[in-house]
Amino acid sequence: MDLGTLHLLPVPLADGDPEAVFPPDVRAQACHLRHWIVETPKAARGHLKVLAPDVPISEHFLQELDKHRPENNGKSLLQPCLEGHDMGLISDAGVPGVADPGARIVEAAHALGIRVIPWVGPSSILLGLMASGFNGQGFQFHGYLPHDGHERKKLWSAMERGIRDGQTQLFIETPYRNDKLMEELLTLPVDLHLCVACDLTAPSEYIKSQSIAQWRKGARPSLHKRPAIFLLGRPHRTL
């Protein structure tokens, strides 16, 4: 019996026109799939209404990733593929497998000889990097910053060293803490540059990249409860 294929499908980053964000083939593929591995079932159902609006949600079979025991995210979840069914893997936002627990599923699929197909779609990491004007050849994504003050201070120092060596630094925060993080960022050295990319792909999208010194002087929008990615770097040149 032939094995099924694991399709890595993107989902929305924010509310907006799906036709402006996803290639038609992505939505067509989503309409053909019935077996899914998802990060959060509630979020997945909302995304599938966007990607496959003509397919009743009751026809989709969802299996949830085990975030607390990642070692469980392997062969058992891929059983439909082993039985010859194509499957879809989706994240809570953006693309699966990038800063996402779905990477273990992809690893397991390769080990089992299951074909893996990645599909084009929005990634806040890449969209933010593209829009920052910072170095796109050397960068590091840190995910959420540590809450412990000592660890946080060590990471700021490490990031500054990386920036001065030419490496762009990317990170995120829980949306309701964004404004507090922004205040903390303004205490960094004034010659560093900060890009804030918020509500990416949504009508309310906001992207601004400038020096810490400039951020201190200008007006800033509220980022409270708005999904955002933050980037620190150095510009290639100064006009």
Side-chain angles (χ1 to χ4, degrees):
M1 180 177 61
D2 292 335
L3 299 177
T5 298
L6 179 64
H7 294 269
L8 313 183
L9 287 170
V11 295
L13 291 172
D15 293 335
D17 181 4
E19 292 186 4
V21 177
F22 301 101
D25 286 351
V26 167
R27 301 177 72 194
Q29 183 59 57
C31 289
H32 286 298
L33 297 173
R34 295 297 182 271
H35 296 272
W36 299 88
I37 300 172
V38 306
E39 188 173 355
T40 306
K42 182 179 179 180
R45 285 189 284 269
H47 293 322
L48 290 175
K49 289 179 182 178
V50 174
L51 292 178
D54 297 329
V55 181
I57 290 297
S58 60
E59 293 186 12
H60 293 294
F61 177 65
L62 308 183
Q63 296 186 87
E64 185 177 2
L65 289 165
D66 191 337
K67 300 177 185 178
H68 303 291
R69 299 181 65 186
E71 65 274 11
N72 292 341
N73 296 332
K75 183 177 180 180
S76 61
L77 294 180
L78 289 164
Q79 190 60 37
C81 267
L82 298 176
E83 295 172 359
H85 300 286
D86 288 348
M87 299 189 72
L89 172 65
I90 58 176
S91 177
D92 276 353
V95 297
V98 179
D100 172 77
R104 282 183 175 262
I105 289 293
V106 179
E107 179 185 11
H110 285 297
L112 293 166
I114 295 169
R115 184 185 179 195
V116 173
I117 298 181
W119 291 80
V120 174
S123 163
S124 61
I125 296 173
L126 291 181
L127 291 175
L129 189 61
M130 289 163 60
S132 69
F134 303 156
N135 183 8
Q137 297 189 69
F139 57 92
Q140 185 172 7
F141 177 64
H142 298 275
Y144 292 98
L145 300 179
H147 290 166
D148 179 78
H150 178 67
E151 292 300 316
R152 200 174 177 98
K153 185 176 180 180
K154 283 173 57 179
L155 183 56
W156 286 130
S157 296
M159 282 198 282
E160 183 178 350
R161 290 194 298 272
I163 294 164
R164 299 196 184 282
D165 287 336
Q167 186 184 67
T168 301
Q169 309 292 313
L170 302 89
F171 46 92
I172 56 176
E173 181 55 282
T174 304
Y176 71 85
R177 293 186 179 134
N178 280 342
D179 286 337
K180 183 177 180 181
L181 172 60
M182 193 68 185
E183 293 299 325
E184 187 176 1
L185 287 166
L186 297 188
T187 68
L188 296 175
V190 296
D191 63 319
L192 299 184
H193 282 233
L194 167 67
C195 176
V196 177
C198 178
D199 293 343
L200 288 167
T201 73
S204 58
E205 181 178 86
Y206 172 88
I207 304 172
K208 193 164 189 176
S209 184
Q210 60 184 2
S211 70
I212 295 293
Q214 291 170 307
W215 277 108
R216 289 184 185 180
K217 295 176 183 177
R220 301 188 302 277
S222 172
L223 304 174
H224 186 59
K225 292 187 177 180
R226 299 170 66 186
I229 186 165
F230 301 85
L231 303 90
L232 288 170
R234 298 288 294 275
H236 296 291
R237 60 186 176 89
T238 303
L239 295 178

